[in-house]
Every structure is written in C-alpha cells, then in structure tokens.
Amino acid sequence: SIGRTFEEVIQKACRMVNPALDGLDGEDSNLIEFSDDADLESQLKIPTDTRLFAVQLALEKGWTVDRVHDLTKIDRWFLSKLKNIAEMRKALKSVGGLEGLTLTNGRERFKTVKMAGFSDRQIARYLGMSTSLEGESSVRERRKALRVVPVVKQIDTLAAEFPAQTNYLYVTYSGDTDDIAPQDPSTHLTPSYRSSLAEKSRLESPLEFKKRARAYSTTEQTET
C-alpha cells in the first residue's frame, strides 16, 4: 500500500490483504485467541501471519513499546507507530460518539484520524454507531461536511531529477491539493479503448458471436 504516514500505510495494507478487516485491529480483528498474558507473550515471540494482530492487541491492552520490543525484536520505531493507532482507537471509543468527535476542532480531529488511515466504517464502529452501511454513511457525510476529503498524489519516479510524467497515483488525506488536475471523465479512456469496449458489447450478442465464429472457422479451413 502507499501513503504518507506509516499508520496510514499499515491500515491500508490490512484492508487490502483481508477485506473482512476495517483496518489494523488487535481485539476487534478476532484473529487472536489467548487465555492469559503468558499465552499472548508466546504468540508475540513466534513470527506468524497473525503476529501483527497479536502485537496490536498487546498495545491495545496497554503494554509498553519496550515490553513488546523485548518479545518480538521489532524496531521500536514501528512499534511506536502501532502504539499511535492503539491510542487513537482508545480515544475514539471514549470520545462520546460522532458529536463528541466533532464538537471541538472537529475538522482537525477528523483529519488527524483519517491521516492515520482509519476508514469511515472503522470510525463508525469505534464510535458505537451501527455496523451497517448506515453508520459508515453517517461518518462519511459528516466528514465531507467538514471538508475532510482525500487528495490525489503522484509518485515521483524520477527522484525530482526531471519532471515525472508517469501516472503512479495514490489517494491520501495527508495533503491539501491534488498533484494532477482533474479531467473530464469522458477523456479517461483512449479512443482505441473506447472502441474496443463498444466492439465487445456488440459481440456479446449471441447471433453476432456465432457469425464471427463461423467466419473465422471458414477462414482457417481455407488457409489450411
């Protein structure tokens, strides 16, 4: 995944790898089962495909970065970023709903949360709102009303040596302006591609398909 903060990148990555996840969660991921702290410690010591969520669970439980580092040997810089996610999760759960989040400095607080990679559905769940589309939509509407919207950024593949023309783009909340100007949607597809789409839709007719197949078969037999 691509972003401008580590928190944003790791949360995006979790959503892409597992669509069932709203972001990086420990307890709410339902991927970690443990009976006591000793059991959780053993899961932190052994590298597995779910250890990241065990690390997050430990940080959500209030374990220090140093304690988790001693068990996992993961660099403290990365652990401190995961700790930020855990602390923001805790703050969202205790803020008192959507109104509490936006009551004071709403735009700044909302943007801080989005810059850390939290999805609207994830925020709705932490705020105790409906886990259906209704809760997510309410968060989205309030976010847009506060003018907290993403921008399109371009990856500089030439390291600023020359102006980059490649369209390696990503969306992030860590910015105020787009790197490229919006285009008319009708110009997004090249003429040749638009023509191929039109041709494809025409060939979806069974009669047209049979006609083309018969012509192709006849041509093959003639050439043979």
Side-chain angles (χ1 to χ4, degrees):
S1 67
I2 303 173
R4 290 195 156 191
T5 68
F6 180 79
E7 294 89 340
E8 175 189 10
V9 168
I10 195 69
Q11 297 228 67
K12 281 182 176 180
C14 288
R15 287 193 288 270
M16 283 191 254
V17 171
N18 188 344
L21 297 176
D22 299 333
L24 177 57
D25 280 304
E27 180 181 3
D28 296 339
S29 70
N30 298 318
L31 295 174
I32 305 300
E33 296 181 0
F34 72 102
S35 56
D36 51 28
D37 284 358
D39 187 12
L40 183 56
E41 285 185 358
S42 66
Q43 295 190 48
L44 293 177
K45 292 177 181 178
I46 303 173
T48 65
D49 58 343
T50 59
R51 183 166 74 156
L52 171 62
F53 304 98
V55 168
Q56 197 63 24
L57 176 58
L59 295 172
E60 290 173 2
K61 287 170 61 65
W63 292 22
T64 65
V65 168
D66 287 336
R67 182 180 179 183
V68 177
H69 168 74
D70 291 340
L71 294 167
T72 63
K73 306 308 178 186
I74 297 175
D75 191 281
R76 289 182 177 86
W77 186 88
F78 294 105
L79 293 176
S80 67
K81 300 301 181 182
L82 299 182
K83 183 72 172 179
N84 289 341
I85 295 175
E87 291 178 348
M88 295 180 77
R89 170 185 179 272
K90 181 179 179 180
L92 285 169
K93 281 179 171 287
S94 61
V95 76
L98 187 57
E99 294 300 327
L101 175 63
T102 59
L103 184 61
T104 305
N105 297 325
R107 185 174 188 273
E108 290 74 15
R109 298 175 75 180
F110 226 124
K111 186 163 187 177
T112 299
V113 171
K114 296 301 291 184
M115 288 171 63
F118 289 90
S119 65
D120 291 343
R121 183 170 58 180
Q122 196 176 6
I123 295 171
R125 179 161 49 83
Y126 292 159
L127 296 178
M129 304 172 66
S130 171
T131 56
S132 65
L133 185 60
E134 181 182 353
E136 180 182 357
S137 297
S138 297
V139 171
R140 181 174 182 270
E141 289 173 5
R142 181 65 60 88
R143 172 175 58 76
K144 294 181 70 176
L146 293 171
R147 295 177 290 106
V148 179
V149 294
V151 293
V152 177
K153 291 297 180 182
Q154 184 178 41
I155 299 174
D156 187 354
T157 56
L158 300 177
E161 186 174 359
F162 302 101
Q165 301 297 326
T166 51
N167 283 328
Y168 290 109
L169 308 176
Y170 64 100
V171 176
T172 180
Y173 286 85
S174 298
D176 297 315
T177 59
D178 296 322
D179 282 354
I180 61 171
Q183 297 180 356
D184 183 349
S186 63
T187 64
H188 286 179
L189 301 178
T190 61
S192 60
Y193 187 59
R194 285 201 297 271
S195 299
S196 65
L197 288 178
E199 182 71 9
K200 178 180 180 299
S201 64
R202 191 167 67 86
L203 288 176
E204 286 177 353
S205 166
L207 183 61
E208 183 66 24
F209 180 80
K210 289 180 181 179
K211 179 180 177 181
R212 288 293 186 92
R214 188 178 298 110
Y216 177 79
S217 176
T218 303
T219 301
E220 286 290 303
Q221 292 176 3
T222 302
E223 291 180 354
T224 302

mmCIF file of all heavy atoms in Angstrom, residues 194-214:
data_model
loop_
_atom_site.group_PDB
_atom_site.id
_atom_site.type_symbol
_atom_site.label_atom_id
_atom_site.label_comp_id
_atom_site.label_asym_id
_atom_site.label_seq_id
_atom_site.Cartn_x
_atom_site.Cartn_y
_atom_site.Cartn_z
ATOM 1 N N ARG A 194 -12.037 2.881 -25.941
ATOM 2 C CA ARG A 194 -13.482 3.073 -26.005
ATOM 3 C C ARG A 194 -14.069 2.270 -27.158
ATOM 4 O O ARG A 194 -15.140 1.671 -27.044
ATOM 5 C CB ARG A 194 -13.803 4.559 -26.179
ATOM 6 C CG ARG A 194 -13.612 5.377 -24.909
ATOM 7 C CD ARG A 194 -14.400 6.668 -25.001
ATOM 8 N NE ARG A 194 -13.930 7.522 -26.083
ATOM 9 C CZ ARG A 194 -12.976 8.428 -25.955
ATOM 10 N NH1 ARG A 194 -12.393 8.597 -24.790
ATOM 11 N NH2 ARG A 194 -12.607 9.161 -26.963
ATOM 12 N N SER A 195 -13.338 2.236 -28.288
ATOM 13 C CA SER A 195 -13.821 1.481 -29.444
ATOM 14 C C SER A 195 -13.855 -0.001 -29.138
ATOM 15 O O SER A 195 -14.783 -0.713 -29.530
ATOM 16 C CB SER A 195 -12.915 1.742 -30.652
ATOM 17 O OG SER A 195 -12.927 3.122 -30.996
ATOM 18 N N SER A 196 -12.826 -0.488 -28.416
ATOM 19 C CA SER A 196 -12.794 -1.914 -28.103
ATOM 20 C C SER A 196 -13.925 -2.280 -27.158
ATOM 21 O O SER A 196 -14.482 -3.375 -27.241
ATOM 22 C CB SER A 196 -11.443 -2.280 -27.468
ATOM 23 O OG SER A 196 -11.281 -1.647 -26.217
ATOM 24 N N LEU A 197 -14.286 -1.381 -26.253
ATOM 25 C CA LEU A 197 -15.412 -1.647 -25.364
ATOM 26 C C LEU A 197 -16.719 -1.714 -26.141
ATOM 27 O O LEU A 197 -17.569 -2.566 -25.884
ATOM 28 C CB LEU A 197 -15.506 -0.559 -24.292
ATOM 29 C CG LEU A 197 -14.433 -0.570 -23.206
ATOM 30 C CD1 LEU A 197 -14.657 0.600 -22.249
ATOM 31 C CD2 LEU A 197 -14.447 -1.880 -22.431
ATOM 32 N N ALA A 198 -16.874 -0.816 -27.093
ATOM 33 C CA ALA A 198 -18.076 -0.827 -27.922
ATOM 34 C C ALA A 198 -18.148 -2.104 -28.748
ATOM 35 O O ALA A 198 -19.209 -2.714 -28.899
ATOM 36 C CB ALA A 198 -18.091 0.400 -28.835
ATOM 37 N N GLU A 199 -16.988 -2.513 -29.263
ATOM 38 C CA GLU A 199 -16.945 -3.743 -30.051
ATOM 39 C C GLU A 199 -17.287 -4.943 -29.190
ATOM 40 O O GLU A 199 -18.008 -5.840 -29.605
ATOM 41 C CB GLU A 199 -15.548 -3.908 -30.661
ATOM 42 C CG GLU A 199 -15.376 -5.140 -31.545
ATOM 43 C CD GLU A 199 -16.128 -5.016 -32.865
ATOM 44 O OE1 GLU A 199 -16.641 -3.922 -33.154
ATOM 45 O OE2 GLU A 199 -16.197 -6.024 -33.589
ATOM 46 N N LYS A 200 -16.765 -4.965 -27.960
ATOM 47 C CA LYS A 200 -17.028 -6.078 -27.050
ATOM 48 C C LYS A 200 -18.522 -6.180 -26.746
ATOM 49 O O LYS A 200 -19.093 -7.268 -26.761
ATOM 50 C CB LYS A 200 -16.244 -5.898 -25.752
ATOM 51 C CG LYS A 200 -16.483 -6.996 -24.718
ATOM 52 C CD LYS A 200 -15.664 -6.732 -23.483
ATOM 53 C CE LYS A 200 -15.906 -7.831 -22.445
ATOM 54 N NZ LYS A 200 -17.296 -7.906 -22.002
ATOM 55 N N SER A 201 -19.156 -5.044 -26.470
ATOM 56 C CA SER A 201 -20.586 -5.082 -26.154
ATOM 57 C C SER A 201 -21.396 -5.564 -27.353
ATOM 58 O O SER A 201 -22.412 -6.234 -27.196
ATOM 59 C CB SER A 201 -21.061 -3.694 -25.712
ATOM 60 O OG SER A 201 -20.930 -2.761 -26.771
ATOM 61 N N ARG A 202 -20.939 -5.217 -28.555
ATOM 62 C CA ARG A 202 -21.664 -5.658 -29.747
ATOM 63 C C ARG A 202 -21.518 -7.159 -29.938
ATOM 64 O O ARG A 202 -22.447 -7.847 -30.365
ATOM 65 C CB ARG A 202 -21.125 -4.918 -30.979
ATOM 66 C CG ARG A 202 -21.974 -5.099 -32.225
ATOM 67 C CD ARG A 202 -21.577 -4.106 -33.288
ATOM 68 N NE ARG A 202 -20.253 -4.362 -33.798
ATOM 69 C CZ ARG A 202 -19.997 -5.223 -34.796
ATOM 70 N NH1 ARG A 202 -20.973 -5.893 -35.358
ATOM 71 N NH2 ARG A 202 -18.768 -5.407 -35.224
ATOM 72 N N LEU A 203 -20.314 -7.702 -29.598
ATOM 73 C CA LEU A 203 -20.073 -9.121 -29.771
ATOM 74 C C LEU A 203 -20.767 -9.975 -28.717
ATOM 75 O O LEU A 203 -20.804 -11.195 -28.816
ATOM 76 C CB LEU A 203 -18.570 -9.417 -29.732
ATOM 77 C CG LEU A 203 -17.773 -8.962 -30.963
ATOM 78 C CD1 LEU A 203 -16.304 -9.224 -30.752
ATOM 79 C CD2 LEU A 203 -18.275 -9.673 -32.207
ATOM 80 N N GLU A 204 -21.272 -9.310 -27.654
ATOM 81 C CA GLU A 204 -21.964 -10.076 -26.632
ATOM 82 C C GLU A 204 -23.300 -10.631 -27.144
ATOM 83 O O GLU A 204 -23.898 -11.500 -26.522
ATOM 84 C CB GLU A 204 -22.193 -9.202 -25.397
ATOM 85 C CG GLU A 204 -20.908 -8.968 -24.607
ATOM 86 C CD GLU A 204 -21.123 -8.053 -23.433
ATOM 87 O OE1 GLU A 204 -22.239 -7.498 -23.302
ATOM 88 O OE2 GLU A 204 -20.189 -7.882 -22.634
ATOM 89 N N SER A 205 -23.755 -10.122 -28.296
ATOM 90 C CA SER A 205 -24.961 -10.672 -28.914
ATOM 91 C C SER A 205 -24.657 -12.081 -29.421
ATOM 92 O O SER A 205 -23.693 -12.287 -30.157
ATOM 93 C CB SER A 205 -25.402 -9.785 -30.079
ATOM 94 O OG SER A 205 -26.353 -10.445 -30.863
ATOM 95 N N PRO A 206 -25.445 -13.093 -29.027
ATOM 96 C CA PRO A 206 -25.179 -14.483 -29.465
ATOM 97 C C PRO A 206 -25.119 -14.615 -30.978
ATOM 98 O O PRO A 206 -24.271 -15.337 -31.512
ATOM 99 C CB PRO A 206 -26.361 -15.262 -28.869
ATOM 100 C CG PRO A 206 -26.817 -14.432 -27.702
ATOM 101 C CD PRO A 206 -26.600 -13.008 -28.131
ATOM 102 N N LEU A 207 -26.006 -13.914 -31.685
ATOM 103 C CA LEU A 207 -26.038 -14.005 -33.136
ATOM 104 C C LEU A 207 -24.749 -13.475 -33.742
ATOM 105 O O LEU A 207 -24.172 -14.076 -34.652
ATOM 106 C CB LEU A 207 -27.244 -13.235 -33.682
ATOM 107 C CG LEU A 207 -27.442 -13.294 -35.205
ATOM 108 C CD1 LEU A 207 -27.669 -14.746 -35.638
ATOM 109 C CD2 LEU A 207 -28.621 -12.420 -35.614
ATOM 110 N N GLU A 208 -24.282 -12.331 -33.223
ATOM 111 C CA GLU A 208 -23.044 -11.745 -33.740
ATOM 112 C C GLU A 208 -21.858 -12.649 -33.442
ATOM 113 O O GLU A 208 -20.957 -12.820 -34.270
ATOM 114 C CB GLU A 208 -22.834 -10.370 -33.100
ATOM 115 C CG GLU A 208 -21.605 -9.612 -33.604
ATOM 116 C CD GLU A 208 -21.709 -9.211 -35.065
ATOM 117 O OE1 GLU A 208 -22.843 -9.094 -35.557
ATOM 118 O OE2 GLU A 208 -20.652 -9.009 -35.691
ATOM 119 N N PHE A 209 -21.845 -13.253 -32.274
ATOM 120 C CA PHE A 209 -20.745 -14.151 -31.912
ATOM 121 C C PHE A 209 -20.694 -15.361 -32.845
ATOM 122 O O PHE A 209 -19.629 -15.760 -33.318
ATOM 123 C CB PHE A 209 -20.912 -14.611 -30.454
ATOM 124 C CG PHE A 209 -19.830 -15.547 -29.993
ATOM 125 C CD1 PHE A 209 -18.592 -15.065 -29.600
ATOM 126 C CD2 PHE A 209 -20.054 -16.914 -29.970
ATOM 127 C CE1 PHE A 209 -17.598 -15.924 -29.179
ATOM 128 C CE2 PHE A 209 -19.066 -17.787 -29.556
ATOM 129 C CZ PHE A 209 -17.822 -17.286 -29.154
ATOM 130 N N LYS A 210 -21.850 -15.962 -33.109
ATOM 131 C CA LYS A 210 -21.897 -17.115 -33.991
ATOM 132 C C LYS A 210 -21.425 -16.745 -35.389
ATOM 133 O O LYS A 210 -20.719 -17.502 -36.057
ATOM 134 C CB LYS A 210 -23.317 -17.673 -34.051
ATOM 135 C CG LYS A 210 -23.763 -18.357 -32.765
ATOM 136 C CD LYS A 210 -25.176 -18.880 -32.909
ATOM 137 C CE LYS A 210 -25.642 -19.558 -31.618
ATOM 138 N NZ LYS A 210 -27.028 -20.050 -31.727
ATOM 139 N N LYS A 211 -21.822 -15.539 -35.838
ATOM 140 C CA LYS A 211 -21.439 -15.083 -37.170
ATOM 141 C C LYS A 211 -19.932 -14.941 -37.273
ATOM 142 O O LYS A 211 -19.307 -15.386 -38.244
ATOM 143 C CB LYS A 211 -22.124 -13.750 -37.455
ATOM 144 C CG LYS A 211 -21.794 -13.159 -38.813
ATOM 145 C CD LYS A 211 -22.533 -11.827 -38.994
ATOM 146 C CE LYS A 211 -22.158 -11.195 -40.322
ATOM 147 N NZ LYS A 211 -22.844 -9.878 -40.502
ATOM 148 N N ARG A 212 -19.318 -14.342 -36.256
ATOM 149 C CA ARG A 212 -17.861 -14.169 -36.252
ATOM 150 C C ARG A 212 -17.159 -15.526 -36.165
ATOM 151 O O ARG A 212 -16.139 -15.754 -36.825
ATOM 152 C CB ARG A 212 -17.449 -13.292 -35.072
ATOM 153 C CG ARG A 212 -17.806 -11.825 -35.227
ATOM 154 C CD ARG A 212 -17.005 -11.168 -36.355
ATOM 155 N NE ARG A 212 -17.247 -9.739 -36.421
ATOM 156 C CZ ARG A 212 -16.510 -8.828 -35.782
ATOM 157 N NH1 ARG A 212 -15.507 -9.209 -35.023
ATOM 158 N NH2 ARG A 212 -16.788 -7.544 -35.907
ATOM 159 N N ALA A 213 -17.671 -16.428 -35.323
ATOM 160 C CA ALA A 213 -17.038 -17.727 -35.148
ATOM 161 C C ALA A 213 -17.077 -18.531 -36.448
ATOM 162 O O ALA A 213 -16.108 -19.189 -36.834
ATOM 163 C CB ALA A 213 -17.737 -18.500 -34.028
ATOM 164 N N ARG A 214 -18.214 -18.462 -37.151
ATOM 165 C CA ARG A 214 -18.358 -19.198 -38.414
ATOM 166 C C ARG A 214 -17.400 -18.650 -39.473
ATOM 167 O O ARG A 214 -16.763 -19.406 -40.205
ATOM 168 C CB ARG A 214 -19.802 -19.098 -38.901
ATOM 169 C CG ARG A 214 -20.103 -19.990 -40.097
ATOM 170 C CD ARG A 214 -21.565 -19.887 -40.520
ATOM 171 N NE ARG A 214 -22.460 -20.341 -39.457
ATOM 172 C CZ ARG A 214 -23.259 -19.520 -38.769
ATOM 173 N NH1 ARG A 214 -23.261 -18.216 -39.027
ATOM 174 N NH2 ARG A 214 -24.049 -20.000 -37.839
#
